[in-house]
Amino acid sequence: MERLKSLRPGPVPLAILSGLVIGALMLLVSGDNPLVAYREIVEGAFAPRNWRNTLSWAIPLVGMSLAAAIPLRGGMVNLGGDGQIVIGGFVAAVVPIYLADAVPLPGFLLAAIAILCAMLASGLWAALAALGETRLGIPMLISSLLLSYPAIGLTSWATGFPLRDTSTGLTQTRPVPPGAELPELFGPVTMGLVLLTIVVAAVIYVDRRTVPGYELRMRGLNRRFAEYGGVRTERQALGAMFASGAIAGLVGAIVVLEVHHRFQNGALVSPSYTWSGLMAALLAGGNPARAVLAGFFFAALQTGGFAMQREIQVPRVLSMVLQAIIILFVSLRYGVGGGRGPKDRP
Amino acid sequence: MQWELETIGVTKRFGPVTANEGVDLRVKKGEVHAVMGENGAGKSTLMSMLYGLLQPDDGEILIAGRQVHFTSALDAIGHGLGMVHQAFQLFEELTVWENIVMGAEPARRGFLDRRRAIASVAGLAERYDLKVDVTQRVRDLSVGIRQRVEILKALYRDAQILILDEPTAVLTPQERDGLFAVIRALRDDGRTILFVTHKLHEVMEITDSVTVLRQGRVTERMATKESTPEAIITAMTGRSVSLDVAKGPATPGEIVLQVAGLTVGQGPKPAVADVSITVRAGEIVGIAGVAGNGQSELIEAIAGLRPGSGRVTLKGRDIASLRVAERREAGLAYIPEDRAATGTAAGATAAETLLMGRQGDAALSRGGLLNLPAISERARRLIAQNDIRISSERAKVGTLSGGNLQKVVIARELDHEAPLLIAEQPTRGVDVGAIEAIHARIVAERDAGRAVLLVSAEMSEVLGLSDRILVMYEGRILAELPASEATEAQLGLLMAGRTGEAA
Amino acid sequence: MNMLNAYTVNATIGGMTPILLAALAGVLCGRVAVFNIALEGKILIGAFFAIVGSYFTGSALGGVLCGVLATMLFSTILAYGVTRFRGDSIVLCIGMNLLASGLTAYLLRQIFGQAGVFSDPAIAEVDRIVIPAINTIPWLGWIFSRQTPITYLSWLLVIVVAIVLFRTPLGLRMRGIGQNPEAATTLGIDVGRTRRWTVIAAGALCGLAGAQLSIGTVGIFAEGMSAGRGWIAVVAVMLARDNPIWAAAVCLLFAIADTFSVQLQAQGLPNQLTDAVPYVITLVALVIGALRGRRRRMAPV
Ligand SMILES: Nc1ncnc2c1ncn2[C@@H]1O[C@H](COP(=O)(O)OP(=O)(O)O)[C@@H](O)[C@H]1O
Ligand SMILES: [Mg+2]
């Protein structure tokens, strides 16, 4: 029951169009001009002066789209991105702070260790949910989500009490040691962008060209077929969730080391990267390359939303509403006419 | 004359497939009317339209001379139709009486009237001598009893026209005799029976008239006593086929598969109980048995898809603790019983489908990296060699017909050239031409020195292909006999669990 | 009796109501084999529109009705999505949860011009019912008296749902649909229509849950105020295996655990940690349930 029907999204453009039309109707009801609003969104996202903004919003969102797409490719759902991104961010801040106290290391090494630790911690946290399903039969859908709450609670407590930077009034850790921040390279290109690009390329390569990628896709199409063909689906679930969590951890680490330079309570959860990413992955039907595109599309929608709110005072949550409507329309097409089971079996 | 049930020019299409075309069916009141045809001839589709589950694209349905339009089963039930489906339609976790009254429940002040429901169901069972404990849960019932529940469901709604879709497919010969007695009693009661089957002797035994379907069209319509088996066969297949398989004597060699004391499941009645089997190179060992007697569980345990206890050796190597992939590597090829649910994935391309199980082969991948050109190349070769009708190796297999899809599975498994081939229901739902081809390939495998373990619910298939026959009943191997000495009658008794009389 | 304890107990019983109602909704949907994980979003919609109705009609009843109707309307997405349009319930529910949080935040700004939290004296709260006969009895008075009508109704609904499911023709059909929809179709039961109405009725329950959360407890609306309650309800439904009585028992267990976490907070434990306690307990319950379930089925059907 908890398994997804065959991932066969219908005409995505139609779903996007429907979302935009309904959004326009909502704008009309509240007395705004939808054309003006949409123009603000497009300009806010794509005018050259806004590229940098869009890109910095897109990095975590695209990353979380990719994180969501991996399990989805195998017919699994990871709802625990919030917990995983928070753990990644937390570890990426705490490790260099305390490591630098203990041993003097060059900044870039600190950053590298921090990122690897973050990916490992988040990956293991996510794999816990897979373990619950394979060992205990607890649906991963539920356990992955529930695991987020203690993750958020613990990190929030730690930044509120033992690890708090008492020199500021905010719930946040000390800044990471100088040199451990991720550098900007040139123009809007940052180290985080480079890292993410590498990971995106790696995931797409694995998906298309490798045995594990092939096996995960087959599992998503028909799990029983994969098992029949000798795929070790339990280990596979563990691996897919670990990869998904590790990417979420990387996203957390990039945001912490590149943007905030410290772990701030709530800063990784409140922008809803996880949920937008999940929606992008759903829109892409689990295909990683398309998930990156969809994630970028949603990032543009959201940065455009900021501009719209600033210029014509239409609340930017409208972009969230649009995303949800698009997903609902896409999901209506899921399964329609596709992958019908063998019915007339004796 | 006035027909009790009549269809005029009924047509039904599923996308490109025309399941029924211009079907004229005429059924007299109070007769047992056979609807015959091979698998895929369109029998179930026609019955579903009569019962309101499907709507014809064209044509008319008349009951007692009056045209009817059914939009749901409820309409059909209201017009006195009842149907026992080929695949039973029961609620496993509910009791017998709940299954029967569902949808037509006796109620008192809005509440379910349990007592009245039980009483009326029990009374009905008594009247037609369909013995069943109405308060038992269906999941605890045997197949034969389940069928009684299905018939009671129709009688509870006072069906005057009862459709039985392949009712004997799952029954032992003895259960079948019981069913025939019930059918006669219902006919004597003035009810009309539509008896769907593809088994000739049943038609001769119980029916009054026959309508034969081939590829969705009516090819023959006559009174049973005026027809001959040959005429019906010709009408069904369009030619006179002998279902005998041409094959020479076997030359068994060394032992390839040895199963010893294999048990699957727990409790007093495990699905497979202490089964031992030996299959040698160059022979076909057939497992006969009514579906659901542990054959699937046995095969899955041998293939590594299901845990079991006992010893399984392949060419002398113990494989009982190996995983699926390792067993395949050790030399096991496996044509699964359900090609759509197990053997393929509808959304996968032909190349991907043909790769499954071989993705670790050195020729097709190295160090975890797929060798895509080699994979495509091999897929194209297999498609050509096996005459698979598909546009390219990049097309999805979900659109293929049953026979074509089975060719994909067989092509993949035989390409493995494994010493052991397990073929489970290899021709189920495949048209006659393809059946012959598949049988020929299985014999060719044997002659090439491979050990073949065949499972089939079709008695004729087991008899025709096997060199040795094992009969499976309630999870045990009841008997072993050389195919040359086995007869249908004897197998039938063994499949019903009777060893004494068969000996 | 310690006054803090008494208030806490009273509040947790009232605080359990949304979860219990949502769990009942989940039970109904589960019985017809619609996997409903949109409970979270539906509670949020109910909570928001209860505030809207209460604010504009000036009556709590108006608020409750508005919340219930809006949630039923919202539920039609799932109702038609899984039937007419043969959509995947998981994807639909994920979309609905996000639509609920986005839509309520959007409308909060557009209707009330507020972001984050909305409170206003014009919002009529649901009155507590004081039952004089037991009001003064220690403990019992705080548990069974001074609750909202919605809370009392939720207890009644546990019984009603159980009776409908196990003692009426409709319930028999629902159970049949859940086990084998095709078989139900062959008996002339309209599976799609039954599923639709079940999902919509479940929506009404979630609307009540939301109303209790906003105008039955605090009289304010806060963005994302459902705060995981719908997910706890999903777990309760799973542990109870779609049985309403068991679901109520599981909710009670969660309520006790919740009281415990409030007590911990009173002991000086930071709220960041105690906030996570209900979820940790839910996880622990799942693990224990899974370990037990491996040996035998939990609740009988
Ligand atoms: N729901 C369906 N969708 C698509 N094709 C179908 C469907 N039901 C039956 N068919 C096709 O119609 C043909 C007739 O099938 P059926 O009536 O089940 O035959 P029979 O009962 O005689 O074996 C087959 O080719 C089958 O694949
Ligand atoms: Mg049929």
Side-chain angles (χ1 to χ4, degrees), chain C residues 200-224:
Chain C
I200 291 171
L205 294 178
C206 291
L208 274 179
Q212 167 77 8
L213 192 59
S214 59
I215 58 176
T217 316
V218 283
I220 62 163
F221 178 81
E223 280 179 33

Side-chain angles (χ1 to χ4, degrees), chain B residues 58-174:
Chain B
D58 206 357
E60 295 169 17
I61 299 173
L62 291 83
I63 289 181
R66 206 116 29 93
Q67 194 178 346
V68 290
H69 294 282
F70 297 153
T71 55
S72 80
L74 207 54
D75 296 340
I77 293 167
H79 280 83
L81 277 116
M83 180 162 175
V84 175
H85 295 261
Q86 186 170 1
F88 289 162
Q89 300 289 349
L90 294 168
F91 310 101
E92 297 267 325
E93 297 297 323
L94 298 182
T95 61
V96 169
W97 72 266
E98 284 172 322
N99 266 275
I100 290 170
V101 303
M102 172 87 65
E105 307 84 354
R108 204 180 46 199
R109 278 179 279 134
F111 292 99
L112 208 52
D113 191 340
R114 200 184 132 92
R115 202 171 313 151
R116 195 144 60 89
I118 292 178
S120 62
V121 171
L124 202 61
E126 181 106 13
R127 185 140 67 89
Y128 288 97
D129 203 23
L130 291 159
K131 291 190 193 67
V132 44
D133 175 358
V134 299
T135 54
Q136 248 189 325
R137 273 182 209 278
V138 164
R139 67 153 186 262
D140 300 327
L141 302 180
S142 71
V143 174
I145 308 283
R146 284 174 191 225
Q147 189 169 61
R148 288 184 200 166
V149 176
E150 287 280 15
I151 294 174
L152 281 170
K153 252 161 60 175
L155 295 179
Y156 178 79
R157 288 158 178 78
D158 199 23
Q160 292 301 314
I161 305 173
L162 183 63
I163 300 169
L164 301 168
D165 193 354
E166 307 231 8
T168 57
V170 290
L171 300 185
T172 64
Q174 287 65 35

Side-chain angles (χ1 to χ4, degrees), chain A residues 205 208-212 214-215 217-218 221-222 224-232 339 342 344-346, chain B residues 87 300 305 323-325 328 334 336 338 341-345 352 355-357 359 368-370 372 412-413:
Chain A
Y205 183 80
R208 292 196 183 152
R209 291 298 177 91
T210 70
V211 172
Y214 163 76
E215 292 185 341
R217 276 188 288 126
M218 292 303 115
L221 294 172
N222 179 355
R224 205 179 145 69
F225 175 53
E227 279 170 353
Y228 155 83
V231 176
R232 293 170 65 184
D344 195 32
R345 263 183 294 155
Chain B
E300 287 186 4
L305 283 165
R323 287 184 242 285
V324 177
R328 281 180 166 272
Y334 172 27
D338 192 328
T342 312
T344 59
E352 288 168 340
L355 177 63
M356 183 53 79
Q359 63 269 33
L369 298 186
L370 296 170
L372 291 179
R412 178 184 65 214
E413 296 307 312

Side-chain angles (χ1 to χ4, degrees), chain C residues 14 61 107-108 133 138 162 173 201 212 227 234 275 297 299:
Chain C
L61 185 64
L107 293 177
L108 187 64
R173 291 174 193 194
Q212 167 77 8
V234 169
D275 282 353
R297 311 202 125 236

